[in-house]
Amino acid sequence: MGEPDLTALPDRLIDAHMHLWDLSLGKHPWLCGEMIPFRYGDYSSIRRDYLAPDYRADAGPMNVVATVYVEAEWDPADPFGETRWVHNYAAEAGFPNAVVAQAFMDAENAGEVIAKQATFPLVRSVRHKPAAARAPAEAQRGAAGSMDDPRWRDGYAHLARHGLGFDLQTPWWHLDAAAELARDFPQTRIILNHTGLPADRSPEGLAGWRAAMETLAREPNVAVKISGIGLRGERWSLEKNVSVVRDAIAIFGPERAMFASNFPVDSVVGEMTAIFAGFAAVTSDLAPDVRRALFHDNAARFYRIAPRATAKTQEKVLGGTR
């Protein structure tokens, strides 16, 4: 196989979803302890430190000018430890430039945690994975810990008070609940992670995913991150993912979609340059301003990344020689 063709990429990229971790801290149970069930299967390859030099190596010649760090299931007993660590690391490395922090909506102290997370200068959003069924046939509304749970919603209500968004990771068969959540809390922007997790690529599975995405996209305060669409046991390929990418953009519109690497997690299924080359190929027929929005401008807007963070001086930090 030859090198991925990156020539169709815009000249400046923001990676809207990535992680960093230092396992010597002992704060990531799923990476340091017993392995857990994982949608990509064996993830032993990422049970290692992943820091700025590793990210730069994976990004290679791509001109990534800013990144959004997303909480990485740090020890939930110490939610502010992760936020402090990533802020200190960003001061040293020059990135990440925005943070999605940890907060559990159904925790007794959810309001306190959200309020304190909001005081950190890079925090723009929080993430919590609500309770979810394993398959569409098992999905029911009203489960404890779900987006219908009154206690969960009481925690969620604190986000608007502190100007924070919500990064939602849930499979597509729960997007009806997400749409209702968006309607009931219109001041809070929801950013759907990993394209609604369309793992089932059968005609029936894709039809269900599209219908669910269309339901959610009707709510104007929702956007989508196109990432995390690898398939278990397969290398990332344009052929397998082109329709998912195109449909996600068509459903949400190019003003409410953005691309992201989900690295190092998605390194289990592909190289970052191959994944972004695929995104570039899918969008090569779109107007330049639309492509800039998908690869840069929307992430800058949704995560309030100041222009100075993507200036020439920042390019020297993240690299990029394409």
Side-chain angles (χ1 to χ4, degrees):
M1 294 179 62
E3 291 296 317
D5 182 5
L6 300 173
T7 57
L9 279 176
D11 59 357
R12 295 158 67 77
L13 311 175
I14 292 179
D15 186 350
H17 193 116
M18 50 81 71
H19 309 283
L20 298 167
W21 48 66
D22 179 349
L23 298 192
S24 72
L25 302 174
K27 292 291 188 176
H28 299 84
W30 69 291
L31 293 169
C32 299
E34 184 177 348
M35 294 185 72
I36 62 173
F38 184 60
R39 61 194 173 93
Y40 287 155
D42 181 4
Y43 64 95
S44 56
S45 62
I46 61 171
R47 286 165 62 94
R48 58 180 176 83
D49 290 352
Y50 192 80
L51 297 167
D54 306 294
Y55 182 87
R56 293 191 191 103
D58 283 332
M62 299 192 308
N63 194 28
V64 180
V65 297
T67 73
V68 178
Y69 173 92
V70 179
E71 63 86 20
E73 300 196 13
W74 182 284
D75 178 1
D78 180 29
F80 311 120
E82 179 179 29
T83 314
R84 281 191 293 267
W85 176 81
V86 74
H87 275 72
N88 290 337
Y89 196 79
E92 172 188 337
F95 74 101
N97 312 91
V99 170
V100 177
Q102 181 194 104
F104 290 83
M105 300 298 104
D106 54 351
E108 289 185 6
N109 65 341
E112 175 187 334
V113 171
I114 290 168
K116 186 167 181 179
Q117 294 286 30
T119 66
F120 288 88
L122 295 179
V123 170
R124 304 290 185 263
S125 180
V126 302
R127 182 168 75 160
H128 176 204
K129 301 168 185 174
R134 292 174 297 179
E138 299 175 18
Q140 294 182 343
R141 298 291 299 268
S146 73
M147 289 177 276
D148 295 319
D149 185 342
R151 177 168 167 168
W152 195 96
R153 283 177 156 240
D154 285 345
Y156 188 88
H158 290 274
L159 294 172
R161 299 168 195 167
H162 299 284
L164 294 180
F166 183 67
D167 272 55
L168 170 63
Q169 183 165 327
T170 195
W172 57 260
W173 47 88
H174 291 292
L175 295 187
D176 56 341
E180 189 171 312
L181 185 72
R183 287 194 297 274
D184 291 345
F185 297 90
Q187 292 181 309
T188 300
R189 182 181 299 281
I190 295 174
I191 297 181
L192 179 65
N193 288 190
H194 303 332
T195 335
L197 300 173
D200 179 0
R201 301 297 174 84
S202 68
E204 297 77 14
L206 286 173
W209 169 76
R210 289 189 198 100
M213 294 283 277
E214 288 167 357
T215 295
L216 184 59
R218 293 190 190 106
E219 308 310 319
N221 55 324
V222 183
V224 63
K225 281 195 277 201
I226 300 173
S227 61
I229 55 175
L231 297 173
R232 186 177 184 137
E234 299 185 34
R235 299 303 288 173
W236 203 101
S237 71
L238 179 60
E239 178 186 5
K240 292 292 180 70
N241 290 302
V242 59
S243 64
V244 169
V245 175
R246 285 179 174 163
D247 287 348
I249 296 171
I251 290 168
F252 277 85
E255 72 282 354
R256 289 193 291 148
M258 65 198 110
F259 290 118
S261 74
N262 191 34
F263 259 58
V265 176
D266 271 34
S267 66
V268 174
V269 294
E271 296 179 352
M272 191 189 302
T273 50
I275 292 170
F276 271 83
F279 293 154
V282 175
T283 59
S284 60
D285 60 338
L286 299 179
D289 60 331
V290 172
R291 299 176 73 250
R292 281 195 301 271
L294 291 166
F295 283 96
H296 180 283
D297 295 355
N298 291 342
R301 176 163 51 92
F302 292 140
Y303 289 106
R304 305 196 306 275
I305 298 175
R308 61 183 173 80
T310 61
K312 292 294 183 181
T313 53
Q314 186 65 22
E315 292 179 20
K316 294 177 184 177
V317 175
L318 280 152
T321 58
R322 182 176 57 82

